[in-house]
Amino acid sequence: TTLQGTLTTNEYSVDVAGHPSVDWQSVADSSARLPLTLTLTFDLPASESLPALHGNAEGVFSATLTPQGEWTLSAGDGLTLRTDAMVLPASAVPTDETNGQSDWHISPMTLTALQQLQLSGDLTALNQIHTTPWQVSLNPVRLTSGDGLIRIGKTAIRCEPVWLTSARLIDDLLANCSLTTRLLPSDWGIWPVPDAQIEGPWSLTLSDSNQSVSASLNLTAANQQIQLRTRVQHDLKNDEGSLQWHLQDATLDWAALGMSQMANLTQVQLLNGRLSGQGWVDWQASDTGWDVIPDVMLRADDVGLIYNNLMTLDEGNVLLALRRPAKGQQAGDYLLDAQVSAGKLDNGITLSNILARSQTRLPADFSYVDVSMYEMHTDVLGGRVYTPLIRYDSRKDVNAFGIRLDHIQLSQIAELEAQAGINATGLLDGLLPVVLTAEGPSIPGGTLFARDPGGVVQYRGETADALSKTNQGTGLAMQLLSDFRYDLLQSGVQYQPDGQLNLALKFEGHNPDFFDGQKTLLNVNLEYNLLDLLESLRLSNDVIQKIEDKYQ
């Protein structure tokens, strides 16, 4: 016998065809067996939130009944559902901006449900049904959007209930469940998406007094280098929940993570380091959306990297803590506390023993950024550079702060360009006012001073000889600087966002071999591009090769 029918509404239609048959078993036990072959085809038009869906479902079910009232219902190999390829419009994806986004194309899908499910019971006790484990599995799926390709491996949900009761049918059916899914290596445009696997137990409760979902899921990703443990709870009635998570030490190495192409895309070569973190996030639905309250910590340790073949970082450490206080003057704002340190940062001039501590405040709507760097210092050129306080507010067109320099050694400044033939001694202190605008940083008028008792400047060699022959004035200056014993040295400093640096040097002192050692005043103006100078220093010092050799 074949039963056919069509269910039609304003939005979709489903054609149904069933093939039931009854087969009475032997007279001895008088049990009845009813196999049912079910075939469905369906055609659902697209809506604002769902794509058009075309496909079919088929399965063979079997029911038995004994004269004593004992019954079984078996799903055998389960119900297999197949769909054609689908197109999900970009407008159906909840994003802030859909203009220019491509539609999502979803490959044909095959889903198998109720595999090996068998229900059994007694007609005299209908409120208790024994059940075997059941499973829903989805075969691999490909999602494409523009140049993006996401490949999802086999996904399975398995539940192992023991009893089903009429009062808690859904809760019992979804007891002792687990999820397993895998994201295969994919691409989001030019960006690689690493492989990932999620697995772990979950549960769903839909009773009148408790409607919630919870899960304890483990995420393994990027060649198993990333290990993340999570615990999620969400109250469906009150629209509130929380997430706890812990990230074990992950290796910071593009090759180890299976993402070697990131070196070219980000211009960052990761040579060494570890990433870890932990925390929790609470959320609550509100009239304006969702209130998210994080309290999380993320840290990176012993990082070694090269950026754009311009800068090297060695023994870098970063500690970030994000929270959102519920009370106090900053209630409702996101606060990001950060501590950054490094053994060495080389951008042509070596910075060592770096430490910076800051707090960044972001309002709930992320409309501006307010940064307070309350400690920053580094050793450079034999001395130290530090700032008492740096404030940056993105709402202001101009932000300014001061940088203090102590004990900068002239000998190390001279060594930056050893080929110039300059030798110098002495210590410099100073203060540099820094102004931040949309064009970049600038120094409108800084000042450097040499400490008592002064020092010596000796400018000798081929470069000095060549300069002395340009004109009489320059020749006298080169003769004076061949062995100049200064008592006073000061310099005005001006720097422009394009890298142009101006140093207005003023010397007071004498040369024993110049005009019988009479006291002399010398003014020198130097102009050059600091960015070009740093580039030449990187090439001459070979700083890139040095850090690469360290981590080979």
Side-chain angles (χ1 to χ4, degrees):
T1 301
T2 300
L3 300 178
Q4 293 181 323
T6 300
L7 177 63
T8 304
T9 70
N10 293 332
E11 297 183 359
Y12 62 87
S13 64
V14 178
D15 297 326
V16 181
H19 305 279
S21 63
V22 178
D23 181 14
W24 288 94
Q25 303 296 327
S26 63
V27 178
D29 58 21
S30 300
S31 61
R33 179 174 180 271
L34 177 66
L36 173 65
T37 300
L38 183 64
T39 302
L40 296 128
T41 61
F42 46 86
D43 186 357
L44 281 70
S47 66
E48 293 184 357
S49 58
L50 294 174
L53 189 61
H54 311 277
N56 64 81
E58 59 183 19
V60 178
F61 301 88
S62 178
T64 62
L65 177 65
T66 68
Q68 292 79 21
E70 297 175 350
W71 60 271
T72 62
L73 177 63
S74 175
D77 293 332
L79 179 68
T80 301
L81 184 148
R82 297 180 177 87
T83 68
D84 298 338
M86 294 175 283
V87 178
L88 181 63
S91 58
V93 181
T95 58
D96 295 333
E97 182 61 53
T98 59
N99 293 334
Q101 294 185 359
S102 301
D103 295 339
W104 282 95
H105 295 262
I106 306 173
S107 66
M109 295 188 297
T110 300
L111 183 145
T112 304
L114 309 180
Q115 290 173 288
Q116 306 303 320
L117 174 65
Q118 180 172 301
L119 305 177
S120 60
D122 193 323
L123 293 179
T124 60
L126 294 178
N127 64 328
Q128 289 190 345
I129 302 172
H130 183 269
T131 177
T132 59
W134 61 274
Q135 178 172 297
V136 175
S137 60
L138 176 66
N139 285 352
V141 178
R142 294 164 60 94
L143 293 82
T144 58
S145 177
D147 295 331
L149 169 62
I150 302 297
R151 301 191 302 153
I152 301 176
K154 187 173 182 178
T155 300
I157 295 176
R158 178 179 174 83
C159 296
E160 300 182 6
V162 179
W163 290 96
L164 304 180
T165 60
S166 57
R168 295 173 50 89
L169 180 61
I170 299 299
D171 293 351
D172 294 338
L173 192 63
L174 297 178
N176 302 320
C177 294
S178 62
L179 167 69
T180 301
T181 186
R182 185 177 181 187
L183 174 66
L184 303 177
S186 305
D187 298 286
W188 184 260
I190 63 173
W191 299 99
V193 179
D195 65 288
Q197 181 170 316
I198 300 175
E199 59 182 357
W202 64 276
S203 64
L204 176 64
T205 302
L206 296 176
S207 64
D208 293 338
S209 59
N210 181 16
Q211 297 181 12
S212 63
V213 60
S214 63
S216 296
L217 302 177
N218 296 327
L219 169 68
T220 304
N223 280 347
Q224 299 185 344
Q225 297 299 314
I226 297 177
Q227 305 281 341
L228 180 68
R229 295 185 290 113
T230 67
R231 171 68 177 172
V232 186
Q233 306 93 21
H234 184 74
D235 188 327
L236 299 173
K237 293 184 67 175
N238 298 318
D239 275 339
E240 62 181 12
S242 63
L243 164 69
Q244 296 87 42
W245 62 278
H246 176 258
L247 174 64
Q248 300 180 19
D249 281 357
T251 299
L252 292 178
D253 184 318
W254 293 132
L257 296 171
M259 304 172 68
S260 298
Q261 60 268 53
M262 287 293 288
N264 292 328
L265 293 172
T266 64
Q267 302 186 60
V268 174
Q269 299 180 48
L270 290 176
L271 304 175
N272 191 63
R274 302 181 309 278
L275 180 69
S276 61
Q278 62 184 0
W280 64 84
V281 180
D282 297 327
W283 57 82
Q284 170 72 64
S286 66
D287 295 337
T288 58
W290 291 90
D291 285 332
V292 180
I293 304 174
D295 193 343
V296 301
M297 182 272 292
L298 190 68
R299 64 182 299 161
D301 297 293
D302 198 22
V303 177
L305 61 82
I306 300 171
Y307 172 68
N308 197 27
N309 282 332
L310 299 177
M311 180 183 71
T312 66
L313 175 69
D314 192 17
E315 299 178 5
N317 302 284
V318 178
L319 179 62
L320 302 175
L322 178 64
R323 55 193 175 90
R324 190 181 183 190
K327 297 180 180 179
Q329 294 181 347
Q330 297 176 324
D333 291 343
Y334 292 94
L335 298 180
L336 177 64
D337 292 293
Q339 176 175 304
V340 179
S341 64
K344 183 182 294 184
L345 177 69
D346 204 324
N347 192 33
I349 297 177
T350 301
L351 309 179
S352 60
N353 298 323
I354 303 167
L355 177 65
R357 294 189 177 98
S358 69
Q359 183 176 89
T360 301
R361 183 165 62 91
L362 296 148
D365 59 1
F366 300 101
S367 58
Y368 65 89
V369 177
D370 188 355
V371 182
S372 296
M373 184 172 291
Y374 47 87
E375 181 178 5
M376 191 282 288
H377 63 75
T378 181
D379 295 339
V380 59
L381 298 173
R384 170 156 289 201
V385 174
Y386 63 92
T387 60
L389 177 66
I390 296 177
R391 289 292 305 272
Y392 173 80
D393 190 334
S394 64
R395 294 169 293 183
K396 297 180 179 179
D397 295 331
V398 177
N399 289 270
F401 58 91
I403 296 179
R404 180 71 181 266
L405 292 80
D406 283 343
H407 287 78
I408 303 299
Q409 296 185 17
L410 276 174
S411 60
Q412 294 200 19
I413 296 177
E415 289 175 0
L416 292 176
E417 290 191 275
Q419 68 278 10
I422 300 177
N423 295 314
T425 63
L427 300 176
L428 290 178
D429 299 328
L431 181 64
L432 303 179
V434 179
V435 176
L436 300 178
T437 64
E439 289 75 24
S442 64
I443 300 175
T447 305
L448 300 176
F449 296 92
R451 289 196 173 200
D452 289 335
V456 178
V457 175
Q458 296 175 332
Y459 192 6
R460 301 170 180 174
E462 296 180 359
T463 303
D465 292 342
L467 288 173
S468 64
K469 298 176 182 178
T470 56
N471 57 63
Q472 183 177 6
T474 303
L476 289 174
M478 293 300 101
Q479 185 179 353
L480 176 64
L481 291 175
S482 64
D483 188 14
F484 188 70
R485 318 295 175 86
Y486 67 87
D487 304 313
L488 180 148
L489 186 159
Q490 68 180 50
S491 175
V493 181
Q494 291 184 334
Y495 177 78
Q496 303 301 322
D498 60 0
Q500 195 65 29
L501 178 65
N502 177 272
L503 299 178
L505 297 169
K506 179 180 179 181
F507 295 89
E508 287 187 10
H510 70 282
N511 183 331
D513 300 323
F514 184 80
F515 283 101
D516 298 326
Q518 293 184 16
K519 187 172 183 180
T520 307
L521 173 64
L522 177 65
N523 295 318
V524 179
N525 286 319
L526 299 178
E527 291 187 0
Y528 53 88
N529 190 285
L530 180 61
L531 302 180
D532 293 340
L533 174 62
L534 293 176
E535 175 66 19
S536 66
L537 294 176
R538 283 190 296 269
L539 295 174
S540 62
N541 293 337
D542 201 12
V543 296
I544 304 299
Q545 188 62 47
K546 290 178 182 178
I547 191 171
E548 286 181 338
D549 292 342
K550 175 178 179 177
Y551 291 109
Q552 281 183 351

